Amino acid sequence: MALDYETPVDRIASGQSRARQIDTRSLAQGTCLVLIEAAGFAMNIVLVVLGLPLFAFLFLAGWDLGLLFAQLGNLADHYRLAEPVARHLFSQDLKVAFLFAGGGYALLRLPAFLRRLERRLAEGDRRHD
C-alpha cells in the first residue's frame, strides 16, 4: 500500500484548486447589517450619555424648568467670568467625564449588542430567494 498524499503545491500545479466562491451578495448584506447596527449602537450611547446629565439636573431642580435655567444661567455667568486657564481646565474635565461615561456605558452594553448582532447575522444565513 503506497502512501498517497497531495499537498497544496501539488493542487496548484495540477490546477485542481479547492477555492470556494465568495458569496458577494451575502458579504455585502452582512457588512451593511453590521454597519447599521453599529451606528445605532453608537448613537444610542451618545444620546444616553448626553441626556443623562439633563435628567439628573431636572431631577435635582424638582422638574422646574425655570429653576433649571436659572442654575444654567448662573453656571454660564461663572464660566464667562472665569480666567482662561480655569475655563480650559473645566472644559477638559467635562470632556474626560463624558468620555469615561460613554466608554463605561458602551462596555456595559457591548455584550448584549454582540449577542443581538450575532443573532441577526445568523438569521441572514437562510436563503430568502
Side-chain angles (χ1 to χ4, degrees):
M1 174 190 254
L3 181 63
D4 187 26
Y5 64 92
E6 184 180 23
T7 65
V9 176
D10 295 332
R11 268 187 256 125
I12 291 172
S14 67
Q16 297 174 353
S17 176
R18 290 190 204 170
R20 293 186 328 194
Q21 293 292 338
I22 296 175
D23 186 10
T24 55
R25 181 179 178 197
S26 176
L27 181 65
Q29 288 174 345
T31 302
C32 288
L33 176 70
V34 169
L35 290 175
I36 289 170
E37 290 287 329
F41 176 72
M43 289 313 305
N44 185 331
I45 298 297
V46 168
L47 290 175
V48 167
V49 168
L50 290 177
L52 204 56
L54 177 63
F55 174 77
F57 292 137
L58 269 171
F59 180 74
L60 291 175
W63 305 106
D64 182 17
L65 286 178
L67 184 59
L68 174 70
F69 286 118
Q71 288 299 325
L72 286 176
N74 186 21
L75 181 64
D77 288 339
H78 278 89
Y79 183 79
R80 185 176 47 87
L81 296 175
E83 294 189 19
V85 174
R87 270 192 262 166
H88 178 71
L89 290 175
F90 177 74
S91 66
Q92 291 295 89
D93 289 345
L94 204 56
K95 289 176 192 174
V96 169
F98 276 123
L99 283 176
F100 275 123
Y105 187 62
L107 285 176
L108 209 72
R109 299 236 0 215
L110 193 60
F113 167 71
L114 292 176
R115 281 193 302 271
R116 186 177 69 240
L117 185 61
E118 182 182 16
R119 187 180 67 243
R120 295 277 311 267
L121 284 171
E123 287 174 1
D125 284 347
R126 295 180 298 219
R127 289 277 177 182
H128 297 291
D129 295 330

